[in-house]
Amino acid sequence: MTRVSIKDVAQRAGVSTATVSHVLNDTRFVREETRQKVQEAVDALQYQPSVIARGLATNATQTIGLIVSDITNPFFTAVARGVEDELNQHGYHTIFCNTDEDHGRQDDYLRLLFARHIDGLLIAPAGTRSDELTRMAAANIPIVQLDRAAPGLDSLLVEVDNEGGAYQAINYLISLGHRRIGVVRGLETITTQKARVAGYRRAMADAGLLVDESLIVRAGRRPNNNRSLTPHPDYPMPARLTNLQMTPNAFHGLHELLDLPNRPTAIFVTNNQMTLGVLHALKERNLRCPKDVSVISFDDLDWAPLFSPPLTVVSQPTYELGVIAARQLVRLIRNEPVEPLAPLPVKLLSRESCCAPNDDTTGH
Amino acid sequence: MTRVSIKDVAQRAGVSTATVSHVLNDTRFVREETRQKVQEAVDALQYQPSVIARGLATNATQTIGLIVSDITNPFFTAVARGVEDELNQHGYHTIFCNTDEDHGRQDDYLRLLFARHIDGLLIAPAGTRSDELTRMAAANIPIVQLDRAAPGLDSLLVEVDNEGGAYQAINYLISLGHRRIGVVRGLETITTQKARVAGYRRAMADAGLLVDESLIVRAGRRPNNNRSLTPHPDYPMPARLTNLQMTPNAFHGLHELLDLPNRPTAIFVTNNQMTLGVLHALKERNLRCPKDVSVISFDDLDWAPLFSPPLTVVSQPTYELGVIAARQLVRLIRNEPVEPLAPLPVKLLSRESCCAPNDDTTGH
DNA sequence: CTGTTAGCGCATTCAA
DNA sequence: TTGAATGCGCTAACAG
């Protein structure tokens, strides 16, 4: 079976291919009668113009690339859904790519997407500077950064109020009476992570509290170095979690924190993947949350209210983030005026994983 | 900035475009010396062959379409990740599409993907017969069905042992002593849902138990009819859940079940989205799980062990499902021999949401 | 061993 | 108001 092309339509309608093209794209006047004939032929043959051929001719492929670290992360899943919904409305298709925060993979994808003549790029960039990304930008491919910013890339960014959200979270813990607040954080190369730790520091400072640096542990996965974690001798990782990004390190990171002579009474976890590890670690130690240690997490989950205890979180407008970024990108592609947006607001959802510190647990 | 094309490379290397093409694709012998020159030119110009132009010429776009109901459903998220990982290894890119079980949207996507000359299609089809899908198949576009089968479509299917999994689940409940087992199920047009209910019936029959049909409630979203639910007068939906597929109906469905004069002592929920609704409903009624009612769900979640109580589930190899389906599709595209696979095995993960029935709760 | 050229399916300029 | 012809960037005969 051979595809029906514009020629077939033209022939059946008794007009030239130019005319068919013009009625299809409404790009020059065509007599109503002719238009009808063309339309009929199109319908009869169930003609679908080839996006590929059109792409070659117009240099517009109606395709955008979406690069995230891992679509399996519920945060990015929701973002991706928002992106797809919005883009679809404008006639674009979305190619999705997972980098696992690996710069090599990111660059590979970038090259491939470039070769595909994507009309635009939506990216939650891995933390370090990327020449490939710079090249894309230099080639005038519209780019909108999602959630985080790549160093040395001057392009639109749609983000959330990370610093403010963290500030709120810590403030809340402080108001509950906590003084020793631990942080399980991700890669320092990721701007959101930096901002969230900054929010932590500001809240502590504003409360006149000193920051004990040993209370801040980095649990982000070291790219390409998955196996270098040093497992806790007494608490091996539950098997099924090992394939989740960052979760293992968070698991071990928390154990580190809990081994401290003067351990924290509350933990701020800077993303939901790490929270998984943290909660498992807590469970293994038979520590009750929030009784023994309060937990607050950045980023909500649909299932968080069902946890034991229901998790208190800083919730982000994930779906909206995707929609808005996509919308900005479409404007960029169309050469419409587009102004940078303020960070999207974030909301503290107080559920049951935080309470006043229990002084008994502070020193063992 | 204008893109560098094969001509530029040919010129710089002092050879014809044919030669460039051939060294790039390794499609005919080229003298080592010439090959070197070409390679140098390619590197110097950072040449990337246009996938679009190549697609026009070869009728192969290195693109496959992935159609699911909702990527936001963790089941499909994991599947999508598996698909992308596998496909990426073979040089394919993945375009993802969300139908929300809406046949109109599915057909729209199908048309668009066809127009894009996708090399293959991976689809978890909405339940009803689709002419558009038939057309795709008739046009010889390789298709692999994911998770479920479309009626009237004769193409490969990679699925899980739904019937057996459900059988195991119900058997387990029966072995615990349950006799009145409720089912919260999805759309009957979806083959997995049918199979899971069939497993339920077989387990009941094998145990010599009669099936009380009033104990089976359908909670699947009616496509395009989102707002027609009849909310329970006493228990309005928690606001944040309303945008989740199927969850609301499951929520109301469970209330229906609980309003029964002789209510079930255990509930089998046939997918994880509905489980969310069920657990919320239980919580609202102040019913303890598993004390008052046991719950078992088809499909696991990373967070299920953290629930209160940790959820007992039938776990499916989601990521593997995606990988395998993608692998089958690639074989199909390459015209390699491909044989239908047996349903992937499924595993009962007993955690803490099921226990022996408490007879006090049976009649109010 | 390599070059020339037609053509993939469309948009578009130039004519008419 | 419409058609003919060119070219987008590449592959694949065909020719040499």
Side-chain angles (χ1 to χ4, degrees):
Chain A
M1 165 165 176
T2 170
R3 296 177 98 95
V4 10
S5 85
I6 198 171
K7 267 190 208 158
D8 305 314
V9 176
Q11 193 166 4
R12 190 182 222 274
V15 299
S16 73
T17 61
T19 300
V20 175
S21 173
H22 282 123
V23 339
L24 254 37
N25 300 311
D26 204 32
T27 171
R28 85 176 174 196
F29 192 90
V30 177
R31 188 161 31 112
E32 186 51 31
E33 195 187 317
T34 317
R35 177 184 296 277
Q36 295 266 319
K37 280 192 300 185
V38 171
Q39 204 47 255
E40 275 174 30
V42 165
D43 294 343
L45 301 175
Q46 296 191 286
Y47 170 65
Q48 285 288 129
S50 161
V51 179
I52 300 300
R54 181 176 284 174
L56 230 213
T58 63
N59 199 25
T61 55
Q62 304 302 111
T63 308
I64 76 99
L66 171 64
I67 300 185
V68 299
S69 64
D70 181 10
I71 191 124
T72 263
N73 178 336
F75 171 77
F76 286 120
T77 312
V79 168
R81 180 56 144 113
V83 165
E84 209 279 315
D85 281 0
E86 179 68 16
L87 249 23
N88 181 42
Q89 282 196 342
H90 296 287
Y92 292 96
H93 275 167
T94 311
I95 288 179
F96 80 102
C97 314
N98 302 101
T99 64
D100 288 330
E101 310 286 4
D102 179 325
H103 314 97
R105 291 190 60 179
Q106 174 175 303
D107 283 354
D108 288 346
Y109 273 121
L110 251 15
R111 259 186 301 271
L112 289 167
L113 292 175
F114 181 80
R116 289 194 102 82
H117 295 244
I118 52 169
D119 292 342
L121 175 69
L122 248 17
I123 183 171
T128 56
R129 144 177 260 108
S130 157
D131 292 339
E132 219 55 62
L133 205 45
T134 319
R135 268 187 71 207
M136 294 281 277
N140 273 320
I141 294 179
I143 301 178
V144 172
Q145 298 180 92
L146 259 177
D147 180 51
R148 18 203 247 206
L153 180 68
D154 180 34
S155 77
L156 270 187
L157 165 63
V158 179
E159 66 178 341
V160 130
D161 183 11
N162 290 293
E163 206 267 356
Y167 185 89
Q168 265 186 74
I170 302 307
N171 226 6
Y172 172 66
L173 290 175
I174 292 173
S175 77
L176 249 29
H178 293 277
R179 295 297 171 261
R180 292 184 59 74
I181 301 175
V183 180
V184 178
R185 61 164 297 178
L187 260 31
E188 39 277 281
T189 49
I190 297 177
T191 53
T192 53
Q193 294 295 321
K194 251 185 303 203
R196 289 170 197 173
V197 174
Y200 165 82
R201 293 186 190 279
R202 182 164 63 92
M204 294 293 277
D206 282 4
L209 261 26
L210 245 52
V211 172
D212 176 350
E213 297 295 334
S214 69
L215 257 40
I216 306 182
V217 299
R218 211 260 274 115
R221 164 173 179 263
R222 297 150 188 83
N224 293 329
N225 201 7
N226 230 345
R227 305 179 181 261
S228 76
L229 349 159
T230 50
H232 192 285
D234 303 332
Y235 303 98
M237 267 295 290
R240 99 170 294 267
L241 296 180
T242 48
N243 60 342
L244 285 167
Q245 255 193 289
M246 293 187 287
T247 305
N249 276 322
F251 180 85
H252 300 305
L254 188 66
H255 279 306
E256 229 174 80
L257 240 30
L258 296 179
D259 282 340
L260 251 31
N262 189 13
R263 77 179 184 211
T265 59
I267 310 280
F268 172 47
V269 194
T270 61
N271 78 23
N272 65 33
Q273 305 271 287
M274 295 190 304
T275 301
L276 227 194
V278 162
L279 292 180
H280 269 95
L282 241 36
K283 211 171 168 179
E284 279 211 358
R285 291 243 179 170
N286 279 320
L287 286 176
R288 290 156 307 171
C289 171
K291 212 86 197 273
D292 299 323
V293 26
S294 291
V295 172
I296 189 166
S297 169
F298 208 106
D299 196 20
D300 198 10
L301 289 169
D302 289 333
W303 296 271
L306 262 15
F307 283 10
S308 160
L311 201 62
T312 294
V313 303
V314 177
S315 134
Q316 321 181 54
T318 51
Y319 179 84
E320 292 76 6
L321 185 66
V323 169
I324 291 173
R327 200 168 287 162
Q328 295 280 69
L329 184 61
V330 170
R331 289 211 189 96
L332 231 41
I333 293 173
R334 295 186 177 156
N335 276 313
E336 292 172 10
V338 22
E339 42 204 287
L341 259 33
L344 271 35
V346 118
K347 203 162 51 185
L348 178 66
L349 261 34
S350 169
R351 291 198 271 250
E352 300 167 30
S353 64
C354 297
C355 70
N358 173 357
D359 289 330
D360 299 356
T361 70
T362 306
H364 314 191
Chain B
M1 164 164 177
T2 171
R3 296 177 98 96
V4 9
S5 85
I6 197 171
K7 267 190 208 158
D8 304 314
V9 177
Q11 192 166 4
R12 189 181 223 274
V15 300
S16 75
T17 61
T19 299
V20 175
S21 173
H22 282 122
V23 340
L24 254 37
N25 301 312
D26 203 31
T27 171
R28 86 177 174 195
F29 193 90
V30 176
R31 184 158 38 108
E32 186 51 31
E33 195 187 318
T34 318
R35 178 185 295 278
Q36 295 265 318
K37 280 191 301 184
V38 172
Q39 204 47 256
E40 275 175 31
V42 166
D43 293 344
L45 300 175
Q46 296 192 290
Y47 170 64
Q48 286 288 130
S50 161
V51 179
I52 299 299
R54 181 177 286 174
L56 230 211
T58 63
N59 200 25
T61 54
Q62 305 299 113
T63 309
I64 76 100
L66 170 64
I67 301 186
V68 298
S69 65
D70 181 11
I71 191 119
T72 264
N73 178 336
F75 171 78
F76 287 121
T77 312
V79 169
R81 181 56 144 111
V83 165
E84 209 278 317
D85 281 0
E86 179 68 16
L87 249 24
N88 181 43
Q89 281 196 342
H90 296 286
Y92 291 95
H93 275 167
T94 311
I95 288 181
F96 80 103
C97 314
N98 304 101
T99 65
D100 288 331
E101 310 287 4
D102 179 323
H103 315 96
R105 290 190 60 177
Q106 175 175 302
D107 283 354
D108 288 346
Y109 273 121
L110 251 16
R111 258 187 301 273
L112 290 166
L113 291 176
F114 181 81
R116 290 194 101 83
H117 295 243
I118 52 169
D119 292 341
L121 176 68
L122 248 17
I123 182 171
T128 57
R129 144 177 259 108
S130 156
D131 293 339
E132 218 57 60
L133 205 45
T134 319
R135 271 187 68 205
M136 295 279 280
N140 274 320
I141 295 177
I143 301 179
V144 171
Q145 300 180 92
L146 258 178
D147 180 50
R148 18 204 245 206
L153 181 68
D154 180 35
S155 77
L156 271 187
L157 166 63
V158 178
E159 66 178 342
V160 130
D161 183 10
N162 291 293
E163 206 268 355
Y167 185 89
Q168 265 186 74
I170 303 305
N171 227 6
Y172 173 66
L173 290 176
I174 292 173
S175 77
L176 250 28
H178 294 276
R179 294 299 171 260
R180 292 183 60 73
I181 302 175
V183 180
V184 178
R185 61 164 297 178
L187 260 31
E188 40 276 280
T189 49
I190 297 178
T191 54
T192 52
Q193 293 296 320
K194 252 187 302 205
R196 289 169 197 174
V197 173
Y200 165 82
R201 292 186 189 280
R202 181 163 64 91
M204 294 294 276
D206 282 3
L209 262 24
L210 244 52
V211 171
D212 176 349
E213 296 295 336
S214 69
L215 256 40
I216 306 181
V217 300
R218 212 262 272 116
R221 165 172 179 262
R222 298 151 188 82
N224 294 328
N225 201 6
N226 229 346
R227 303 177 183 263
S228 77
L229 351 158
T230 50
H232 193 285
D234 304 332
Y235 302 99
M237 268 293 292
R240 97 171 296 266
L241 296 180
T242 48
N243 60 341
L244 286 168
Q245 256 193 290
M246 296 186 286
T247 306
N249 276 322
F251 181 82
H252 300 306
L254 188 67
H255 279 307
E256 233 174 76
L257 239 31
L258 296 179
D259 282 340
L260 252 30
N262 191 12
R263 76 180 184 210
T265 59
I267 310 280
F268 172 47
V269 194
T270 61
N271 78 24
N272 64 32
Q273 305 272 284
M274 295 190 303
T275 301
L276 227 195
V278 162
L279 292 180
H280 269 95
L282 241 37
K283 211 170 169 182
E284 279 212 358
R285 292 245 180 169
N286 280 320
L287 286 175
R288 290 154 310 169
C289 173
K291 212 84 196 272
D292 299 324
V293 24
S294 291
V295 172
I296 189 166
S297 170
F298 207 107
D299 196 22
D300 197 12
L301 289 170
D302 289 332
W303 296 271
L306 263 14
F307 284 9
S308 159
L311 201 62
T312 294
V313 302
V314 177
S315 133
Q316 320 181 54
T318 50
Y319 179 85
E320 292 77 4
L321 185 66
V323 170
I324 292 173
R327 201 169 287 163
Q328 294 281 69
L329 185 61
V330 170
R331 289 210 189 97
L332 231 41
I333 293 173
R334 295 184 178 159
N335 276 313
E336 291 172 12
V338 24
E339 41 205 288
L341 261 32
L344 271 36
V346 118
K347 202 163 50 185
L348 179 66
L349 260 35
S350 169
R351 291 198 271 250
E352 301 166 29
S353 65
C354 297
C355 69
N358 173 357
D359 287 331
D360 299 355
T361 69
T362 307
H364 318 190

